[in-house]
Amino acid sequence: MENFIVSARKYRPATFATVVGQEAITNTLKNAVRNQQVAQAFLFTGPRGVGKTTCARILAKTINCQNITPEGEACNVCPSCLTFNTSSSFNIFELDAASNNSVDDIRNLVDQVRIIPQQGYKVYIIDEVHMLSQQAFNAFLKTLEEPPSYAKFILATTEKHKILPTILSRCQIFDFRRISVDDIAKHLQFVADSEKIQAEAEALHIIAQKADGALRDALSMFDQLVSYAGNHLTYKQVIENLNVLDYDYYFRITDHILNRDVSNALLIFNEIMDNGFEGQHFITGLGEHFRNLLVSKDSVTLKLLETSQSIKEQYAKQAVQCTVPFIFRSLEILNECDINYKTSNNKKLHVEIVLMQLCNILSSPNNPGNQQPAASSGPATQVPSANPAQSKPLSTTASDNPVTSQPVTNVPSANPAQGKPAAGNPGLQVEKEETVSSDIRKPAEEQLKENPPESASTVNQKTEVKESPAPAVKKSTSLTGLDLGGLMKGKKPTTEKTPEEEEDELPGELYGSEHVSISDLLRVWPVMIDSITAELPMLQHTLLLGAPELLEDNIVNIKIDNTLQAEEVFKYKRKITAYLRKALKNGTLSITTTLIEVTPETRRPYTDTEKFLFLAEKAPAVRKLKDQLGLDLEM
């Protein structure tokens, strides 16, 4: 049987020009050789399979070449190059630091360095140098810093952070980068042409993506697939052998998501699971698919799409159907699923719920990814104006009305038909039409002045709606404070209310609205202080500063000394107001505060420091005691 040589060895670069994807490093090394500025020590670092050892061997061969080309390359025909190619060179030494990592091994290396070669340079290539022990590094320092003129050291590692800084400072460091998908695919195409193998472009791109920037891994997979498929390598054979999901699955399932077709989306996922793929593998691939759709939306970022040309055209076609907010929301859902997948007990159900959420994105009217406006669920509202020709129907839905969740009825106009049930809801009756009609007949400028942005809600407030069988309508806050910018950044919509909004929800409608007398307020006030301060003792000092005042419109004024007391009152304003409304049977009571102007002579001590200074003025012995005990106060 003929001896088989793997592609990674057979097509290993022999010159700097044939190194794949490391042009910056190879150009630097060629210039150093051409200008005779080769350093005494190099450190090649980077991920596996990107050409570190290959470049080290090429550099060792080039500096020993007897006929270096003008481009800084080895001639490959001189005796030095020929002996190197046959692995019989006496000037090149390769060491594996993983198995030669002791101090004795480094001492033997130092002893060998002292022997002068017959010609050229002695080059020591130490692979996986981070495996050396700290004592071995220290024994190597002096030789690495000041080696003989004929000795060169090339260190290679995948973990630069494990090397001592003293070693790093004595080397020229070259960081090798991951090889791009396009560069790997081109090299695989070159190997396939050299081996007379027909390979589809999509198949080579899948191999390049699976290699994750390592050319050696890509060549190993290529050899494995050629053994499986023969001289004709197809895209389908590659995805079957490498356990990769077909692009077609992601395109189909995205089409079903855009069409809100939950059933077919779940059926495709079930087919994927039956083929032996893990759910997390599917979620990761679907997230990558949506990322590619986002990249395809802009011609500037199109270069980030590392696929074949035919796949790029499919992405561009599907990206037109997706909005950017929809893609952002989908990526957020998929990212959360990927994070929580391992902790889920029923992993298949976990992924199926995510697919349902993705299909529901475009169905939600409040979602920023919605492409179409929500269909009108209620009758159109006819808003008459001063000019009848300019009156247009205004379509509203239940979600658009912040006051009621029922469909908005027709606002009455100058039509003589009055007091009839509204269309679509026979239980609703409109009253006080004259008030609404007179307001509507005003010019538009006056209406804007009187009803700035809430004109629609004001009309609804002026229109009394009676519906005997329906329960009391609660104010909807589903659209209050909706921050689309926050949703785009991944923030959750908040349902917290401000103190003013909470105060509006006080049960004021349960009590009357008559004027409250000051005597009733003063009678209830001390009882309220005893009741509230049992739960909120911090308010006792503030509420006892003075008697409250009763202003017009049933406003209770509380006197305070400083802004800290104002913050306390504002913090518990709702609780105080609720107590007074209930005790006085009045739903219109409200709270306000007034800052008392005090002079330094009449100002009361509030903080601990002020209390101490006040007490020290009355009793100087207190200050003397503090000084004797060495106490300190935060002034």
Side-chain angles (χ1 to χ4, degrees):
M1 183 177 65
E2 184 180 356
N3 187 22
F4 174 73
I5 302 177
V6 296
S7 300
R9 290 181 56 194
K10 186 176 181 180
Y11 294 96
R12 191 165 203 160
T15 60
F16 287 122
T18 55
V19 176
V20 180
Q22 307 293 347
E23 289 78 9
I25 294 176
T26 55
N27 290 337
T28 303
L29 294 176
K30 284 193 296 183
N31 292 334
V33 172
R34 186 170 58 248
N35 299 329
Q36 297 183 359
Q37 295 178 352
V38 181
Q40 83 276 3
F42 298 88
L43 176 63
F44 293 168
T45 178
R48 70 183 189 280
V50 294
K52 299 185 298 296
T53 306
T54 298
C55 286
R57 291 180 179 179
I58 296 174
L59 178 61
K61 180 178 66 173
T62 304
I63 62 178
N64 280 295
C65 180
Q66 300 174 3
N67 299 309
I68 299 176
T69 64
E71 293 79 15
E73 297 276 10
C75 66
N76 286 324
V77 293
C78 66
S80 298
C81 294
L82 293 177
T83 55
F84 177 85
N85 294 335
T86 58
S87 302
S88 58
S89 176
F90 294 100
N91 288 353
I92 310 299
F93 303 91
E94 284 197 37
L95 301 177
D96 181 19
S99 56
N100 299 276
N101 55 6
S102 65
V103 177
D104 293 335
D105 295 323
I106 296 299
R107 286 175 179 171
N108 294 334
L109 185 147
V110 173
D111 292 339
Q112 292 178 10
V113 171
R114 295 173 181 171
I115 302 174
I116 302 175
Q118 293 182 354
Q119 62 180 4
Y121 295 90
K122 296 183 71 172
V123 182
Y124 293 87
I125 301 174
I126 306 177
D127 205 359
E128 301 299 331
V129 72
H130 65 274
M131 299 294 290
L132 289 178
S133 63
Q134 185 174 0
Q135 292 78 9
F137 272 128
N138 293 331
F140 190 40
L141 278 177
K142 191 63 178 176
T143 304
L144 188 66
E145 182 178 9
E146 297 178 357
S149 59
Y150 50 82
K152 304 292 182 183
F153 295 95
I154 305 176
L155 314 181
T157 180
T158 56
E159 301 182 38
K160 185 178 69 173
H161 60 279
K162 293 185 178 180
I163 300 178
L164 296 180
T166 51
I167 297 291
L168 296 177
S169 63
R170 288 163 169 80
C171 302
Q172 284 189 2
I173 303 175
F174 291 86
D175 289 307
F176 285 68
R177 62 183 181 89
R178 293 181 181 274
I179 305 175
S180 66
V181 174
D182 290 337
D183 289 339
I184 295 178
K186 290 178 182 178
H187 188 71
L188 291 177
Q189 187 64 58
F190 165 74
V191 174
D193 294 340
S194 302
E195 297 291 330
K196 295 181 173 51
I197 297 173
Q198 296 179 0
E200 296 180 358
E202 290 82 1
L204 298 181
H205 269 85
I206 290 295
I207 299 174
Q209 291 177 16
K210 191 75 173 178
D212 193 23
L215 184 59
R216 182 172 60 239
D217 293 354
L219 291 170
S220 299
M221 285 186 284
F222 178 80
D223 290 340
Q224 176 184 344
L225 291 167
V226 168
S227 301
Y228 169 76
N231 292 333
H232 186 70
L233 193 60
T234 64
Y235 170 76
K236 186 176 180 180
Q237 292 169 339
V238 170
I239 62 175
E240 287 179 358
N241 193 272
L242 295 182
N243 196 30
V244 177
L245 265 174
D246 190 0
Y247 283 114
D248 184 58
Y249 281 115
Y250 298 125
F251 284 111
R252 285 165 52 200
I253 207 165
T254 304
D255 287 336
H256 294 316
I257 291 173
L258 292 173
N259 295 328
R260 308 176 181 93
D261 191 352
V262 178
S263 301
N264 284 324
L266 295 179
L267 288 175
I268 292 178
F269 174 63
N270 186 66
E271 180 183 348
I272 293 172
M273 295 290 288
D274 290 341
N275 290 336
F277 292 96
E278 288 289 337
Q280 190 165 20
H281 183 73
F282 165 73
I283 288 296
T284 304
L286 188 59
E288 180 71 16
H289 179 78
F290 276 99
R291 176 261 182 193
N292 292 340
L293 288 176
L294 181 63
V295 166
S296 302
K297 297 285 289 184
D298 193 349
S299 58
V300 177
T301 57
L302 194 60
K303 62 183 180 180
L304 301 177
L305 196 60
E306 297 179 336
T307 58
S308 62
Q309 188 61 34
S310 60
I311 301 297
K312 286 183 180 179
E313 294 175 358
Q314 295 186 49
Y315 273 117
K317 182 178 179 180
Q318 192 173 70
V320 176
Q321 307 174 24
C322 305
T323 62
V324 173
F326 164 74
I327 298 176
F328 282 165
R329 179 57 184 154
S330 301
L331 288 172
E332 180 184 359
I333 293 175
L334 292 169
N335 183 54
E336 291 179 357
C337 176
D338 189 22
I339 294 173
N340 301 325
Y341 183 84
K342 292 183 179 179
T343 60
S344 175
N345 292 327
N346 192 341
K347 293 179 169 49
K348 183 177 181 181
L349 178 61
H350 184 61
V351 178
E352 290 177 341
I353 292 175
V354 169
L355 291 176
M356 298 175 193
Q357 292 175 341
L358 293 174
C359 293
N360 193 47
I361 291 178
L362 298 179
S363 301
S364 177
N366 297 333
N367 197 287
N370 197 1
Q371 290 179 316
Q372 300 176 357
S376 176
S377 59
T381 303
Q382 183 74 22
V383 181
S385 61
N387 187 359
Q390 298 177 354
S391 179
K392 297 181 179 180
L394 176 63
S395 176
T396 59
T397 62
S399 62
D400 295 328
N401 188 1
V403 178
T404 177
S405 60
Q406 300 291 335
V408 182
T409 60
N410 289 336
V411 178
S413 60
N415 195 330
Q418 301 174 1
K420 295 182 180 181
N425 195 343
L428 294 179
Q429 244 183 357
V430 181
E431 296 183 358
K432 293 188 180 181
E433 182 196 359
E434 296 179 0
T435 305
V436 179
S437 301
S438 61
D439 290 338
I440 294 176
R441 292 191 189 97
K442 293 181 181 180
E445 296 180 358
E446 296 183 6
Q447 292 187 35
L448 288 176
K449 292 180 180 178
E450 296 179 2
N451 306 314
E454 302 92 14
S455 58
S457 60
T458 307
V459 173
N460 290 334
Q461 292 174 3
K462 291 182 179 180
T463 305
E464 294 186 359
V465 181
K466 288 186 178 180
E467 186 180 4
S468 54
V473 179
K474 201 171 185 179
K475 184 174 180 180
S476 174
T477 58
S478 60
L479 297 181
T480 304
L482 182 61
D483 183 10
L484 295 182
L487 291 177
M488 292 288 291
K489 297 178 180 178
K491 296 181 180 179
K492 302 291 183 182
T494 178
T495 57
E496 297 181 357
K497 301 179 179 62
T498 62
E500 291 80 1
E501 293 173 338
E502 292 182 346
E503 183 182 353
D504 293 340
E505 297 180 0
L506 290 174
E509 66 275 4
L510 300 178
Y511 312 116
S513 58
E514 291 79 8
H515 184 73
V516 178
S517 63
I518 185 65
S519 59
D520 292 338
L521 177 63
L522 295 178
R523 174 178 53 82
V524 173
W525 190 257
V527 181
M528 181 204 68
I529 293 177
D530 294 338
S531 175
I532 290 183
T533 55
E535 182 181 355
L536 307 170
M538 297 295 294
L539 279 176
Q540 184 175 11
H541 177 73
T542 302
L543 299 179
L544 290 175
L545 284 177
E549 297 179 351
L550 187 61
L551 307 180
E552 296 181 358
D553 299 329
N554 294 332
I555 299 176
V556 179
N557 183 33
I558 302 176
K559 299 178 182 178
I560 57 175
D561 280 347
N562 49 60
T563 56
L564 295 177
Q565 294 176 343
E567 293 177 0
E568 289 181 1
V569 173
F570 180 78
K571 183 177 180 181
Y572 304 107
K573 181 180 179 181
R574 185 174 185 271
K575 186 176 290 292
I576 299 173
T577 306
Y579 185 93
L580 292 177
R581 288 183 179 182
K582 182 177 180 181
L584 297 174
K585 306 297 182 184
N586 189 296
T588 62
L589 277 171
S590 60
I591 299 294
T592 186
T593 57
T594 302
L595 188 63
I596 303 175
E597 296 183 0
V598 294
T599 61
E601 292 79 10
T602 60
R603 186 177 186 278
R604 299 181 181 181
Y606 187 74
T607 64
D608 293 339
T609 303
E610 292 175 349
K611 292 177 182 178
F612 172 77
L613 295 177
F614 178 79
L615 184 62
E617 291 180 359
K618 301 293 183 181
V622 175
R623 184 185 296 274
K624 183 178 180 181
L625 177 62
K626 179 188 80 71
D627 296 338
Q628 290 178 350
L629 295 177
L631 301 178
D632 189 15
L633 294 177
E634 295 181 359
M635 306 299 287

